[in-house]
Amino acid sequence: MGCSVCRSGLSVGHLKTHSKVSVLFTMIIICTYLFYSLTGYCDSLGPAPLLIHQSPAAAGRYDALDFGSPPQDRTHSRTRGNGTSPPASSDLRLRAGSGAAISVLSSFGTKRLPQAIIIGVRKGGTRALLEFLRIHPDVRAVGAEPHFFDRFYDRGLEWYRNLMPRTLDGQVTMEKTPSYFVTKEAPRRVYDMSRDTKLIVVVRDPVTRAVSDYTQTLSKNLGMPAFQTLAFRNSTRGLVDTSWSAVRIGIYAKHLENWLQYFPRSSLLFVSGERLVTDPAGEIGRVQDFLGLKRVITDKHFYFNQTKGFPCLKKPEGSSRPRCLGKSKGRPHPQISSEVLLRLRDFYRPFNLKFYQMTGQDFGWD
């Protein structure tokens, strides 16, 4: 009888164990079915995104919003017709993502070609403008200068698109590269990308801009000739050397003519570099209107830094310090004789007046 009881107990235990295994196996089947069903559903929502695969070293050099100039070791893409073919490179391999990747990437928006570009000018205040705009919740911008339309155009639009931050519906994708304004091929190339692109030009007194340009170059090359030596072909006759880029950039009317061959005047907004310093909220307000954005950035976001001589952004929530531009902004200019500056001012005057007429704005440089 005792053995019978033992056998009965073992039988009951065996049945319980078998029941648990059956339940577990059933749950595994159900979970597997749900997983593949959901994955198939995600795949049906649209094509899988393109994921960039890089080596750890390359990823470290080319991070998010603050990457430097595009890496030179990337293979150039070959363009076809309008230059929209994707990059063909062993270093830039594209593959379809998994269902999980789709879910994650979709939640952060889509990479789009920029709807707005700050196209110039060098040493006009483009960095300040971009940093001020980036606090707007509906502006997403590349931190560094892509130089796509002047240096890397042969890499193709897909390469360019992949540089952009992800945006949600209603957000504006932007980039800034000041050398676009003076690059002859840039207007046609931007137009070929999109004739609806909004273009922003930050301009500054061309004499002051030239001195600032020289100052920046001098900080990197202390052996440079004197400013007046570079600015004039013949100092005694006062002939200005327009082959020197620091002088040539300031002939704004000439460069603008090139852009107006492709874009209507309404596609361009001209921001005063001087007013960006004295009234940053006012100038940023104009830019927000031009981009079709709500005026979120106002006077409350700025304070004037007496030491740098520039406005800074007030301390944002969760930050320990205000945000000012880097050390290269607001550096002291070298002493240049008033006679040299006057000669340059006389040279620029007719170009300035023409620029005022073309833009419908008097920037007060004369």
Side-chain angles (χ1 to χ4, degrees):
M1 180 176 180
C3 290
S4 176
V5 171
C6 289
R7 283 196 298 270
S8 176
L10 287 173
S11 180
V12 172
H14 177 72
L15 288 174
K16 288 183 177 180
T17 301
H18 180 73
S19 177
K20 289 181 180 179
V21 171
S22 298
V23 171
L24 180 60
F25 182 74
T26 303
M27 291 178 65
I28 290 174
I29 292 175
I30 293 173
C31 289
T32 303
Y33 173 79
L34 289 174
F35 172 79
Y36 281 105
S37 296
L38 290 175
T39 301
Y41 175 72
C42 289
D43 288 341
S44 69
L45 293 179
L50 298 176
L51 300 181
I52 300 177
H53 291 266
Q54 297 171 299
S55 66
R61 293 197 309 269
Y62 205 52
D63 185 42
L65 298 180
D66 286 321
F67 54 81
S69 295
Q72 297 293 338
D73 59 346
R74 289 173 180 261
T75 303
H76 287 203
S77 66
R78 298 299 178 187
T79 57
R80 213 174 35 240
N82 61 2
T84 58
S85 60
S89 168
S90 59
D91 293 326
L92 189 63
R93 298 186 298 274
L94 304 178
R95 71 167 176 84
S98 65
I102 292 174
S103 177
V104 172
L105 295 177
S106 296
S107 66
F108 288 94
T110 305
K111 289 196 174 191
R112 299 180 175 91
L113 293 169
Q115 299 105 308
I117 305 176
I118 301 173
I119 60 173
V121 298
R122 173 181 163 89
K123 304 307 296 179
T126 59
R127 172 54 59 185
L129 176 61
L130 184 69
E131 292 305 313
F132 295 162
L133 283 174
R134 289 175 78 180
I135 67 176
H136 197 293
D138 291 331
V139 171
R140 296 296 312 280
V142 177
E145 298 172 5
H147 283 282
F148 175 65
F149 294 107
D150 58 348
R151 298 181 190 171
F152 302 107
Y153 190 66
D154 62 342
R155 299 191 178 187
L157 283 173
E158 285 305 311
W159 178 88
Y160 184 48
R161 188 198 306 271
N162 277 322
L163 302 183
M164 298 300 124
R166 296 187 179 279
T167 53
L168 303 173
D169 290 342
Q171 291 183 318
V172 176
T173 303
M174 292 188 66
E175 70 115 319
K176 77 109 178 168
T177 304
S179 52
Y180 291 163
F181 188 62
V182 299
T183 300
K184 185 177 180 180
E185 300 82 9
R188 176 185 57 79
R189 291 171 174 177
V190 175
Y191 180 84
D192 287 345
M193 177 187 72
S194 173
R195 65 185 64 185
D196 297 321
T197 306
K198 295 185 177 182
L199 308 167
I200 302 172
V201 188
V202 188
V203 288
R204 181 184 182 188
D205 181 334
V207 176
T208 309
R209 197 220 65 81
V211 175
S212 181
D213 199 332
Y214 172 78
T215 303
Q216 176 167 296
T217 307
L218 182 64
S219 69
K220 302 174 184 177
N221 181 10
L222 298 179
M224 280 188 67
F227 179 86
Q228 56 267 30
T229 302
L230 296 170
F232 299 100
R233 295 177 183 173
N234 186 317
S235 58
T236 57
R237 297 175 60 187
L239 296 176
V240 175
D241 189 353
T242 56
S243 67
W244 186 32
S245 63
V247 168
R248 187 175 64 254
I249 290 172
I251 309 175
Y252 302 140
K254 179 180 178 180
H255 306 305
L256 179 56
E257 286 177 347
N258 194 24
W259 285 90
L260 291 179
Q261 291 181 30
Y262 294 88
F263 291 92
R265 168 64 188 81
S266 58
S267 293
L268 291 100
L269 178 71
F270 299 90
V271 175
S272 166
E274 287 83 10
R275 287 196 290 271
L276 199 58
V277 173
T278 60
D279 181 22
E283 286 300 280
I284 294 297
R286 293 178 57 240
V287 177
Q288 291 173 98
D289 293 345
F290 177 68
L291 296 176
L293 299 172
K294 182 180 179 181
R295 285 202 177 196
V296 171
I297 309 170
T298 62
D299 282 322
K300 68 181 181 181
H301 289 94
F302 301 97
Y303 80 95
F304 193 80
N305 186 307
Q306 297 292 342
T307 302
K308 294 183 69 69
F310 277 89
C312 295
L313 293 169
K314 289 182 179 178
K315 184 177 70 173
E317 292 183 12
S319 175
S320 59
R321 65 176 63 182
R323 286 172 53 195
C324 289
L325 297 177
K327 294 180 180 179
S328 64
K329 308 301 180 183
R331 61 163 68 94
H333 290 177
Q335 288 293 327
I336 298 174
S337 72
S338 57
E339 180 184 355
V340 168
L341 298 178
L342 183 59
R343 286 183 181 182
L344 267 183
R345 202 162 294 284
D346 289 341
F347 166 78
Y348 280 120
R349 184 170 291 110
F351 297 109
N352 290 344
L353 293 175
K354 184 177 181 180
F355 185 67
Y356 296 169
Q357 293 174 346
M358 295 172 74
T359 61
Q361 293 178 238
D362 185 343
F363 292 90
W365 299 325
D366 297 293

